[in-house]
Coordinates of all heavy atoms in Angstrom, one line a residue:
G1 N 0.8 -1.2 0.0 CA 0.0 0.0 0.0 C 0.9 1.2 0.0 O 2.0 1.2 0.0
Y2 N 0.2 2.4 0.0 CA 0.8 3.7 0.0 C 0.0 4.7 0.7 O -1.2 4.5 0.9 CB 1.2 4.1 -1.4 CG -0.1 4.2 -2.3 CD1 -0.7 5.5 -2.4 CD2 -0.7 3.2 -2.9 CE1 -1.9 5.6 -3.1 CE2 -1.9 3.3 -3.6 CZ -2.5 4.5 -3.7 OH -3.7 4.6 -4.4
R3 N 0.6 5.8 1.0 CA 0.0 6.9 1.7 C 0.6 8.2 1.3 O 1.8 8.2 1.1 CB 0.1 6.8 3.3 CG -0.8 5.8 3.8 CD -0.8 5.9 5.3 NE -1.8 5.0 5.9 CZ -1.6 4.3 7.0 NH1 -0.6 4.6 7.8 NH2 -2.5 3.4 7.5
F4 N -0.2 9.2 1.2 CA 0.3 10.5 0.8 C -0.3 11.4 1.8 O -1.4 11.4 2.2 CB -0.2 11.0 -0.6 CG 0.4 10.2 -1.8 CD1 -0.3 9.1 -2.2 CD2 1.7 10.6 -2.2 CE1 0.2 8.4 -3.4 CE2 2.1 9.8 -3.3 CZ 1.4 8.9 -3.9
S5 N 0.6 12.5 2.2 CA 0.1 13.5 3.2 C -0.7 14.5 2.4 O -0.7 14.6 1.2 CB 1.3 14.2 3.8 OG 1.9 15.1 2.9
K6 N -1.6 15.2 3.1 CA -2.3 16.3 2.5 C -1.5 17.4 1.9 O -1.9 18.2 1.1 CB -3.4 16.8 3.4 CG -4.5 15.8 3.7 CD -5.5 16.3 4.6 CE -6.5 15.1 4.9 NZ -7.6 15.6 5.9
N7 N -0.2 17.4 2.2 CA 0.6 18.5 1.8 C 1.5 17.9 0.5 O 2.3 18.7 -0.1 CB 1.7 18.9 2.8 CG 1.0 19.6 4.0 OD1 0.1 20.4 3.7 ND2 1.4 19.4 5.2
H8 N 1.2 16.7 0.1 CA 2.0 16.2 -1.0 C 1.6 17.0 -2.4 O 0.4 17.3 -2.4 CB 1.7 14.7 -1.2 CG 2.6 14.0 -2.2 ND1 2.3 14.1 -3.6 CD2 3.7 13.3 -2.1 CE1 3.2 13.5 -4.3 NE2 4.0 12.9 -3.3
P9 N 2.5 17.3 -3.2 CA 2.1 18.1 -4.4 C 1.0 17.4 -5.3 O 0.2 18.1 -5.8 CB 3.5 18.1 -5.2 CG 4.5 17.9 -4.2 CD 4.0 17.0 -3.1
L10 N 1.1 16.1 -5.4 CA 0.0 15.4 -6.1 C -1.5 15.6 -5.5 O -2.4 15.9 -6.1 CB 0.2 14.0 -6.3 CG -0.7 13.1 -7.1 CD1 -0.8 13.7 -8.5 CD2 -0.2 11.6 -7.2
V11 N -1.4 15.5 -4.2 CA -2.7 15.8 -3.5 C -3.2 17.1 -3.6 O -4.3 17.4 -3.8 CB -2.5 15.4 -1.9 CG1 -3.8 15.7 -1.1 CG2 -2.2 13.9 -1.8
K12 N -2.2 18.1 -3.5 CA -2.6 19.5 -3.6 C -3.1 19.8 -5.0 O -4.1 20.6 -5.2 CB -1.3 20.3 -3.3 CG -1.0 20.5 -1.9 CD 0.2 21.4 -1.7 CE 0.5 21.6 -0.2 NZ 1.6 22.6 0.0
T13 N -2.6 19.1 -6.1 CA -3.1 19.3 -7.5 C -4.6 18.9 -7.5 O -5.4 19.5 -8.1 CB -2.2 18.5 -8.5 OG1 -0.9 19.2 -8.4 CG2 -2.7 18.6 -9.8
I14 N -4.8 17.8 -6.9 CA -6.2 17.2 -6.9 C -7.2 18.1 -6.2 O -8.3 18.5 -6.7 CB -6.2 15.8 -6.3 CG1 -5.5 14.8 -7.2 CG2 -7.6 15.3 -6.0 CD1 -5.2 13.5 -6.6
V15 N -6.7 18.6 -5.0 CA -7.6 19.4 -4.2 C -7.9 20.7 -4.8 O -9.0 21.2 -4.9 CB -7.0 19.7 -2.8 CG1 -7.7 20.8 -2.0 CG2 -7.0 18.4 -2.0
T16 N -6.8 21.3 -5.5 CA -7.0 22.5 -6.3 C -8.0 22.4 -7.4 O -8.8 23.2 -7.6 CB -5.6 23.1 -6.8 OG1 -4.7 23.3 -5.7 CG2 -5.7 24.3 -7.6
A17 N -7.8 21.3 -8.1 CA -8.8 21.1 -9.3 C -10.2 20.9 -8.8 O -11.2 21.4 -9.3 CB -8.4 19.8 -10.1
H18 N -10.4 20.3 -7.7 CA -11.7 20.1 -7.0 C -12.3 21.5 -6.7 O -13.5 21.8 -7.0 CB -11.7 19.3 -5.7 CG -11.8 17.8 -6.0 ND1 -11.2 16.9 -5.1 CD2 -12.4 17.1 -6.9 CE1 -11.5 15.7 -5.5 NE2 -12.1 15.8 -6.7
H19 N -11.4 22.3 -6.0 CA -11.9 23.7 -5.6 C -12.3 24.5 -6.8 O -13.4 25.2 -6.8 CB -10.8 24.4 -4.8 CG -10.8 23.9 -3.4 ND1 -9.6 24.1 -2.7 CD2 -11.6 23.0 -2.6 CE1 -9.8 23.4 -1.4 NE2 -11.0 22.9 -1.5
K20 N -11.6 24.4 -7.9 CA -11.9 25.1 -9.1 C -13.3 24.7 -9.8 O -13.9 25.5 -10.4 CB -10.8 24.9 -10.3 CG -9.5 25.6 -9.9 CD -8.5 25.5 -11.1 CE -7.2 26.2 -10.8 NZ -6.2 25.9 -11.8
L21 N -13.6 23.6 -9.6 CA -14.9 23.0 -10.0 C -16.0 23.1 -9.0 O -17.2 22.6 -9.1 CB -14.8 21.6 -10.5 CG -13.8 21.4 -11.7 CD1 -13.6 19.9 -11.9 CD2 -14.5 22.1 -12.9
G22 N -15.7 23.6 -7.8 CA -16.7 23.8 -6.7 C -17.0 22.4 -6.0 O -18.0 22.2 -5.5
L23 N -16.0 21.5 -6.1 CA -16.2 20.2 -5.5 C -15.5 20.1 -4.2 O -14.6 20.8 -3.9 CB -15.6 19.1 -6.5 CG -16.3 19.0 -7.8 CD1 -15.5 18.0 -8.7 CD2 -17.8 18.6 -7.7
R24 N -15.9 19.1 -3.4 CA -15.3 18.9 -2.1 C -14.4 17.6 -2.2 O -14.8 16.6 -2.8 CB -16.2 18.6 -1.0 CG -15.7 18.4 0.4 CD -16.8 18.3 1.3 NE -17.3 16.8 1.1 CZ -18.5 16.4 1.5 NH1 -19.4 17.2 2.0 NH2 -18.8 15.1 1.2
T25 N -13.3 17.6 -1.7 CA -12.4 16.4 -1.7 C -12.7 15.6 -0.5 O -12.7 16.1 0.6 CB -10.8 16.8 -1.7 OG1 -10.6 17.7 -2.8 CG2 -9.9 15.6 -1.8
N26 N -12.9 14.3 -0.8 CA -13.1 13.3 0.4 C -11.9 12.5 0.3 O -11.7 11.7 -0.6 CB -14.4 12.5 0.1 CG -15.6 13.3 0.2 OD1 -15.8 14.2 1.1 ND2 -16.6 13.1 -0.7
F27 N -11.2 12.5 1.4 CA -10.0 11.6 1.6 C -10.4 10.3 2.2 O -10.9 10.3 3.4 CB -8.9 12.3 2.4 CG -8.3 13.5 1.8 CD1 -8.9 14.8 2.3 CD2 -7.4 13.4 0.9 CE1 -8.3 15.9 1.7 CE2 -6.8 14.6 0.3 CZ -7.3 15.8 0.7
I28 N -10.2 9.3 1.6 CA -10.7 7.9 2.0 C -9.5 7.0 1.9 O -8.9 6.8 1.0 CB -11.9 7.3 1.2 CG1 -13.1 8.3 1.3 CG2 -12.3 6.0 1.7 CD1 -14.1 8.0 0.3
E29 N -9.2 6.4 3.1 CA -8.1 5.4 3.1 C -8.7 4.0 3.1 O -9.7 3.7 3.8 CB -7.4 5.5 4.4 CG -6.2 4.6 4.5 CD -5.3 4.8 5.7 OE1 -5.1 6.0 6.2 OE2 -4.7 4.0 6.2
Y30 N -8.3 3.2 2.1 CA -8.9 1.9 2.0 C -7.8 0.9 1.6 O -6.8 1.2 1.1 CB -10.1 1.9 1.0 CG -9.6 2.1 -0.5 CD1 -9.4 1.2 -1.3 CD2 -9.5 3.5 -0.8 CE1 -8.9 1.4 -2.6 CE2 -9.2 3.8 -2.2 CZ -8.8 2.7 -3.0 OH -8.5 3.1 -4.3
G31 N -8.1 -0.3 1.9 CA -7.1 -1.4 1.5 C -7.6 -2.1 0.3 O -8.7 -1.8 -0.2
G32 N -6.8 -2.9 -0.2 CA -7.3 -3.7 -1.4 C -6.2 -3.4 -2.6 O -5.3 -2.7 -2.5
G33 N -6.5 -4.1 -3.7 CA -5.7 -4.0 -4.8 C -6.1 -2.9 -5.7 O -7.3 -2.5 -5.8
S34 N -5.1 -2.3 -6.3 CA -5.3 -1.2 -7.3 C -4.1 -1.2 -8.2 O -3.0 -1.3 -7.7 CB -5.5 0.2 -6.5 OG -5.6 1.2 -7.4
D35 N -4.3 -0.8 -9.4 CA -3.2 -0.7 -10.3 C -2.2 0.4 -9.9 O -1.0 0.4 -10.2 CB -3.7 -0.3 -11.7 CG -4.5 -1.5 -12.4 OD1 -4.3 -2.6 -11.9 OD2 -5.1 -1.3 -13.3
V36 N -2.7 1.4 -9.1 CA -1.8 2.5 -8.6 C -0.6 1.9 -7.7 O 0.4 2.5 -7.6 CB -2.5 3.6 -8.0 CG1 -3.4 4.3 -9.0 CG2 -3.3 3.3 -6.8
N37 N -0.9 0.8 -7.1 CA 0.1 0.2 -6.3 C 1.4 -0.2 -7.1 O 2.4 -0.1 -6.6 CB -0.4 -1.1 -5.6 CG -1.4 -0.8 -4.6 OD1 -1.3 0.2 -3.8 ND2 -2.4 -1.6 -4.3
V38 N 1.2 -0.6 -8.3 CA 2.3 -1.0 -9.2 C 3.1 0.2 -9.5 O 4.3 0.3 -9.4 CB 1.8 -1.5 -10.5 CG1 2.9 -1.9 -11.5 CG2 1.1 -2.9 -10.2
W39 N 2.5 1.3 -9.8 CA 3.2 2.6 -10.1 C 4.0 3.2 -8.9 O 5.1 3.6 -9.0 CB 2.2 3.7 -10.6 CG 1.6 3.3 -11.9 CD1 0.3 3.0 -12.1 CD2 2.2 3.3 -13.3 NE1 0.0 2.7 -13.5 CE2 1.2 2.9 -14.1 CE3 3.5 3.5 -13.7 CZ2 1.5 2.7 -15.5 CZ3 3.7 3.3 -15.0 CH2 2.8 2.9 -15.9
N40 N 3.2 3.2 -7.7 CA 3.9 3.6 -6.6 C 5.1 2.7 -6.2 O 6.2 3.3 -5.7 CB 2.9 3.7 -5.4 CG 2.0 4.9 -5.5 OD1 2.5 6.1 -5.4 ND2 0.8 4.7 -5.8
A41 N 5.0 1.4 -6.4 CA 6.1 0.5 -6.1 C 7.3 0.9 -7.0 O 8.4 0.6 -6.6 CB 5.7 -0.9 -6.3
K42 N 7.1 1.4 -8.1 CA 8.1 1.8 -9.1 C 8.6 3.2 -8.9 O 9.4 3.7 -9.6 CB 7.6 1.6 -10.6 CG 7.5 0.1 -10.9 CD 7.0 -0.1 -12.3 CE 6.7 -1.5 -12.6 NZ 7.9 -2.3 -12.9
G43 N 8.1 3.8 -7.8 CA 8.5 5.2 -7.5 C 7.8 6.3 -8.3 O 8.2 7.5 -8.3
I44 N 6.7 6.0 -9.0 CA 5.9 6.9 -9.7 C 4.6 7.1 -8.9 O 3.8 6.3 -8.6 CB 5.5 6.4 -11.1 CG1 6.7 6.1 -11.9 CG2 4.6 7.4 -11.8 CD1 6.5 5.3 -13.2
N45 N 4.5 8.4 -8.4 CA 3.4 8.7 -7.5 C 2.0 8.6 -8.2 O 1.9 9.2 -9.4 CB 3.5 10.2 -7.0 CG 4.7 10.3 -6.0 OD1 4.9 9.5 -5.3 ND2 5.4 11.4 -6.1
A46 N 1.2 7.9 -7.7 CA -0.2 7.7 -8.3 C -1.2 7.6 -7.3 O -1.0 7.0 -6.2 CB -0.2 6.5 -9.2
I47 N -2.4 8.1 -7.5 CA -3.5 8.1 -6.5 C -4.8 7.6 -7.2 O -5.1 8.1 -8.3 CB -3.7 9.5 -5.9 CG1 -2.5 9.9 -5.0 CG2 -5.0 9.5 -5.0 CD1 -2.6 11.3 -4.4
S48 N -5.5 6.8 -6.6 CA -6.8 6.2 -7.1 C -7.8 7.4 -6.9 O -8.0 7.9 -5.9 CB -7.3 5.0 -6.4 OG -7.0 3.9 -7.1
L49 N -8.6 7.6 -8.0 CA -9.6 8.6 -8.0 C -10.9 7.9 -8.2 O -11.1 7.2 -9.2 CB -9.4 9.7 -9.0 CG -8.1 10.5 -8.9 CD1 -8.0 11.4 -10.1 CD2 -8.1 11.3 -7.6
G50 N -11.9 8.1 -7.4 CA -13.3 7.6 -7.5 C -14.1 8.6 -8.1 O -14.1 9.8 -7.9
M51 N -15.0 8.1 -9.1 CA -15.9 9.1 -9.8 C -17.4 8.8 -9.4 O -18.3 9.5 -10.0 CB -15.7 9.0 -11.3 CG -16.2 7.8 -11.9 SD -16.1 8.0 -13.7 CE -17.1 6.6 -14.1
G52 N -17.6 7.9 -8.5 CA -19.0 7.6 -8.2 C -19.4 6.4 -8.8 O -19.9 6.4 -10.0
A53 N -19.4 5.3 -8.2 CA -19.9 4.0 -8.7 C -20.5 3.3 -7.6 O -20.3 3.5 -6.5 CB -18.7 3.2 -9.3
W54 N -21.6 2.5 -8.0 CA -22.4 1.8 -7.0 C -22.3 0.3 -7.4 O -22.1 -0.1 -8.5 CB -23.8 2.3 -7.1 CG -23.9 3.7 -6.6 CD1 -24.2 4.1 -5.4 CD2 -23.7 4.9 -7.4 NE1 -24.1 5.5 -5.3 CE2 -23.8 6.1 -6.5 CE3 -23.3 5.2 -8.7 CZ2 -23.7 7.3 -6.9 CZ3 -23.2 6.5 -9.1 CH2 -23.4 7.6 -8.2
N55 N -22.5 -0.5 -6.3 CA -22.4 -1.9 -6.4 C -21.2 -2.5 -7.2 O -21.2 -3.3 -8.0 CB -23.7 -2.4 -7.2 CG -25.0 -2.1 -6.5 OD1 -25.0 -2.1 -5.3 ND2 -25.9 -1.7 -7.3
I56 N -20.1 -1.8 -6.6 CA -18.7 -2.1 -7.3 C -18.4 -3.6 -7.3 O -18.6 -4.2 -6.3 CB -17.7 -1.2 -6.6 CG1 -18.0 0.3 -6.8 CG2 -16.3 -1.5 -7.2 CD1 -17.1 1.1 -6.0
H57 N -17.9 -4.0 -8.5 CA -17.4 -5.4 -8.6 C -18.5 -6.4 -8.5 O -18.3 -7.6 -7.9 CB -16.2 -5.8 -7.7 CG -15.1 -4.8 -7.9 ND1 -14.5 -4.6 -9.1 CD2 -14.4 -4.1 -7.0 CE1 -13.5 -3.7 -8.9 NE2 -13.4 -3.4 -7.6
T58 N -19.7 -6.0 -8.9 CA -20.9 -7.0 -8.9 C -21.5 -6.9 -10.2 O -21.1 -6.0 -11.0 CB -21.9 -6.6 -7.9 OG1 -22.7 -5.5 -8.3 CG2 -21.3 -6.4 -6.5
V59 N -22.4 -7.8 -10.6 CA -23.1 -7.8 -11.9 C -24.1 -6.6 -11.9 O -24.5 -6.3 -13.0 CB -23.8 -9.1 -12.1 CG1 -22.9 -10.2 -12.2 CG2 -24.9 -9.4 -11.1
R60 N -24.2 -5.9 -10.9 CA -25.1 -4.7 -10.8 C -24.3 -3.4 -10.7 O -24.8 -2.4 -10.4 CB -26.1 -4.9 -9.7 CG -27.0 -6.0 -9.8 CD -28.0 -6.0 -8.6 NE -28.9 -7.1 -8.7 CZ -30.0 -7.1 -9.3 NH1 -30.4 -6.1 -10.0 NH2 -30.8 -8.3 -9.3
E61 N -23.0 -3.4 -11.0 CA -22.2 -2.3 -10.9 C -22.7 -1.3 -11.9 O -23.0 -1.6 -13.1 CB -20.8 -2.6 -11.1 CG -19.8 -1.4 -11.1 CD -18.3 -1.8 -11.2 OE1 -18.0 -3.0 -11.2 OE2 -17.5 -0.9 -11.3
Y62 N -22.7 0.1 -11.5 CA -23.1 1.1 -12.5 C -22.5 2.4 -12.0 O -22.1 2.6 -10.9 CB -24.6 1.2 -12.6 CG -25.3 1.8 -11.4 CD1 -25.6 3.1 -11.4 CD2 -25.7 0.9 -10.3 CE1 -26.3 3.6 -10.2 CE2 -26.4 1.4 -9.2 CZ -26.6 2.8 -9.2 OH -27.3 3.3 -8.1
T63 N -22.5 3.4 -12.9 CA -22.2 4.8 -12.6 C -23.2 5.6 -13.3 O -24.0 5.1 -14.2 CB -20.8 5.1 -12.9 OG1 -20.5 6.4 -12.4 CG2 -20.6 5.2 -14.4
K64 N -23.2 6.9 -13.1 CA -24.1 7.9 -13.8 C -23.3 8.6 -14.8 O -22.2 9.0 -14.6 CB -24.8 8.8 -12.7 CG -25.6 8.0 -11.7 CD -26.2 9.0 -10.7 CE -27.1 8.2 -9.8 NZ -27.6 9.0 -8.7
I65 N -24.0 8.9 -15.9 CA -23.4 9.7 -17.0 C -23.0 11.0 -16.4 O -21.8 11.5 -16.7 CB -24.2 9.9 -18.2 CG1 -24.4 8.4 -18.7 CG2 -23.7 10.9 -19.2 CD1 -25.0 8.3 -20.2
S66 N -23.8 11.6 -15.5 CA -23.4 13.0 -14.9 C -22.0 12.8 -14.1 O -21.2 13.8 -14.1 CB -24.4 13.4 -14.0 OG -24.7 12.5 -12.9
A67 N -21.8 11.7 -13.5 CA -20.6 11.5 -12.7 C -19.4 11.3 -13.7 O -18.3 11.9 -13.4 CB -20.7 10.3 -11.9
M68 N -19.6 10.7 -14.8 CA -18.6 10.6 -15.8 C -18.2 11.9 -16.4 O -17.1 12.2 -16.6 CB -19.0 9.6 -16.9 CG -19.1 8.2 -16.4 SD -19.9 7.0 -17.6 CE -18.5 6.9 -18.8
R69 N -19.2 12.8 -16.7 CA -19.0 14.0 -17.3 C -18.2 15.0 -16.2 O -17.3 15.7 -16.5 CB -20.2 14.8 -17.5 CG -20.9 14.3 -18.8 CD -22.1 15.0 -19.1 NE -22.8 14.5 -20.3 CZ -24.0 14.3 -20.5 NH1 -24.8 14.4 -19.4 NH2 -24.5 13.8 -21.6
Q70 N -18.6 14.9 -14.9 CA -17.9 15.6 -13.9 C -16.4 15.1 -13.8 O -15.5 16.0 -13.7 CB -18.7 15.4 -12.6 CG -18.1 16.2 -11.4 CD -18.9 16.1 -10.2 OE1 -19.0 15.0 -9.6 NE2 -19.5 17.2 -9.8
M71 N -16.2 13.8 -13.9 CA -14.8 13.3 -13.8 C -14.0 13.8 -15.0 O -12.9 14.1 -14.9 CB -14.8 11.8 -13.7 CG -13.4 11.2 -13.7 SD -12.4 11.8 -12.3 CE -12.7 10.6 -11.0
A72 N -14.7 13.9 -16.2 CA -13.9 14.3 -17.4 C -13.5 15.8 -17.2 O -12.4 16.2 -17.5 CB -14.8 14.2 -18.6
R73 N -14.5 16.6 -16.6 CA -14.1 18.1 -16.4 C -12.9 18.1 -15.3 O -12.1 19.0 -15.4 CB -15.3 18.8 -15.9 CG -16.3 19.0 -17.0 CD -17.4 20.1 -16.5 NE -18.3 19.5 -15.4 CZ -19.3 18.9 -15.6 NH1 -19.7 18.5 -16.8 NH2 -20.0 18.4 -14.5
F74 N -13.0 17.3 -14.3 CA -12.0 17.2 -13.4 C -10.6 16.9 -13.9 O -9.6 17.7 -13.7 CB -12.4 16.2 -12.2 CG -11.3 15.9 -11.2 CD1 -10.9 16.9 -10.4 CD2 -10.8 14.7 -11.1 CE1 -9.9 16.7 -9.4 CE2 -9.7 14.4 -10.2 CZ -9.4 15.4 -9.4
I75 N -10.6 15.9 -14.8 CA -9.3 15.5 -15.4 C -8.8 16.6 -16.4 O -7.7 17.0 -16.4 CB -9.5 14.2 -16.2 CG1 -9.8 13.0 -15.3 CG2 -8.2 13.9 -17.0 CD1 -8.8 12.7 -14.1
E76 N -9.7 17.3 -17.1 CA -9.4 18.3 -17.9 C -8.8 19.5 -17.1 O -7.7 20.1 -17.5 CB -10.6 18.8 -18.7 CG -10.3 20.0 -19.6 CD -11.6 20.5 -20.2 OE1 -12.7 20.5 -19.7 OE2 -11.4 21.0 -21.4
T77 N -9.4 19.8 -15.9 CA -8.8 20.9 -15.1 C -7.5 20.5 -14.6 O -6.6 21.5 -14.6 CB -9.8 21.0 -13.8 OG1 -11.1 21.4 -14.3 CG2 -9.3 22.1 -12.9
I78 N -7.2 19.3 -14.3 CA -5.8 18.9 -13.8 C -4.8 19.0 -15.0 O -3.8 19.7 -14.9 CB -5.8 17.5 -13.3 CG1 -6.4 17.5 -12.0 CG2 -4.4 17.0 -13.1 CD1 -6.6 16.1 -11.3
V79 N -5.2 18.5 -16.1 CA -4.3 18.5 -17.3 C -3.9 19.9 -17.7 O -2.8 20.2 -18.0 CB -4.9 17.6 -18.4 CG1 -4.1 17.8 -19.7 CG2 -4.9 16.2 -18.0
T80 N -4.9 20.7 -17.8 CA -4.7 22.1 -18.3 C -3.9 23.0 -17.2 O -3.4 24.0 -17.6 CB -6.0 22.9 -18.6 OG1 -6.9 22.9 -17.6 CG2 -6.7 22.1 -19.8
S81 N -3.8 22.5 -16.0 CA -3.2 23.3 -14.9 C -1.6 22.9 -15.0 O -0.8 23.6 -14.3 CB -3.8 23.0 -13.6 OG -3.4 21.8 -13.1
L82 N -1.2 21.9 -15.6 CA 0.1 21.5 -15.6 C 1.0 22.3 -16.6 O 0.6 22.7 -17.5 CB 0.2 19.9 -16.0 CG -0.5 19.0 -15.2 CD1 -0.5 17.6 -15.7 CD2 0.0 19.0 -13.6

């Protein structure tokens, strides 16, 4: 696993993008497997971002198109700030 402080530059980038979009950042620590563990193990900072999904990893898993659009705007905000 991995942990980042709220002062880490990557975390600050995420929080700033959220604020620009009028969103609130929810910091959630959880265990389990994620592809970002591979990147972090190789020394490349990576953080899992959730966009709003329900019934995760079941045959009833879904998300809302509005959540996908919001995530797209969020990613655009991060990329254009670099």
